[in-house]
Amino acid sequence: PFIVPAAQQKKIDRSQKALLNKIYHYYDNKKHSFEFLAAYVTEKIIALDGSNFRLGWITSKAADGGIDFVGKIGIGKNISSVDIIVLGQAKCIKTKSSVRPIDLARTVARLQRGWIGSFVTTGVFSDQAQKEVYNDKYPLMLINGSLVANIVASSMHLEKISNVENFLQQIDNIYSDKVMNRRAEEIIYI
């Protein structure tokens, strides 16, 4: 299995570590807002493979049921097209903290046949959490803090924004418009 030890995930360069700490502290007292950044990062990572991710919405705090955002990946064109539902979970934790298997369980439990999940954190994934995802063949993307920092850094560069707080504020300005209460399968119709 392709397991990246948690200790290795924590070994990131100084500038990446500083950026990740700024991201964590920005969202520390408003963790729900991190959900839109998590969806944004998921979109960018999926796009790296040439796929097309479309965010549907961010779930409201009171009714998320273990899912923080819903989107879809479109594959094919016209009559040969199909949409794959993506359920996302965002976990803004201290950058050296580990996501455990129990943290992933709620997201995995919401996945239906043919759906995939994205679990985005500012921390790292424990070795055991990664092993369970691999051994149980869960269709779950694991996006750790290092990847979050990489995506934010490259997006800031592309958008010519040098201040991380300004970039995150720009992300947050979109956040409130995306919050809604809907059933995940409704994403297919939008």
Side-chain angles (χ1 to χ4, degrees):
F2 187 71
I3 305 296
V4 178
Q8 186 177 334
Q9 293 175 64
K10 293 175 186 177
K11 292 179 183 174
I12 58 178
D13 69 47
R14 190 176 308 152
S15 64
Q16 192 179 35
K17 190 177 292 188
L19 178 60
L20 185 56
N21 280 320
K22 285 179 182 179
I23 294 167
Y24 168 74
H25 288 293
Y26 181 87
Y27 289 109
D28 190 31
N29 292 322
K30 52 181 179 174
K31 291 195 182 344
H32 198 316
S33 296
F34 177 70
E35 295 169 3
F36 187 70
L37 179 64
Y40 176 89
V41 168
T42 297
E43 175 184 18
K44 299 299 180 190
I45 288 175
I46 290 171
L48 289 173
D49 283 337
S51 296
N52 178 17
F53 175 83
R54 179 171 179 211
L55 176 65
W57 57 88
I58 304 296
T59 59
S60 65
K61 282 189 235 184
D64 75 5
I67 298 304
D68 294 325
F69 61 90
V70 177
K72 66 182 177 179
I73 299 172
I75 299 173
K77 293 195 186 292
N78 302 325
I79 196 168
S80 66
S81 69
V82 66
D83 290 324
I84 298 171
I85 295 176
V86 179
L87 301 182
Q89 177 68 29
K91 194 160 183 76
C92 184
I93 59 177
K94 290 183 179 176
T95 60
K96 294 204 180 236
S97 296
S98 294
V99 173
R100 301 163 299 142
I102 191 76
D103 299 320
L104 303 176
R106 201 162 176 207
T107 304
V108 169
R110 301 290 184 265
L111 297 177
Q112 294 184 23
R113 183 177 177 170
W115 294 9
I116 65 169
S118 174
F119 198 105
V120 183
T121 184
T122 49
V124 300
F125 292 95
S126 72
D127 298 0
Q128 189 59 39
Q130 293 176 77
K131 287 176 187 170
E132 287 192 24
V133 167
Y134 179 81
N135 290 336
D136 293 335
K137 297 175 181 56
Y138 293 139
L140 187 63
M141 296 171 54
L142 301 179
I143 302 172
N144 66 16
S146 174
L147 285 170
V148 171
N150 285 342
I151 295 297
V152 168
S154 65
S155 295
M156 288 173 58
H157 177 74
L158 288 172
E159 295 182 29
K160 296 180 176 39
I161 300 173
S162 59
N163 181 296
V164 68
E165 286 82 12
N166 290 347
F167 176 79
L168 297 174
Q169 184 60 51
Q170 183 177 309
I171 294 286
D172 279 1
N173 289 341
I174 302 167
Y175 162 77
S176 61
D177 293 337
K178 293 290 187 181
V179 176
M180 41 180 97
N181 262 342
R182 298 180 81 170
R183 293 170 34 95
E185 46 279 348
E186 292 179 49
I187 188 69
I188 298 297
Y189 305 109
I190 61 171

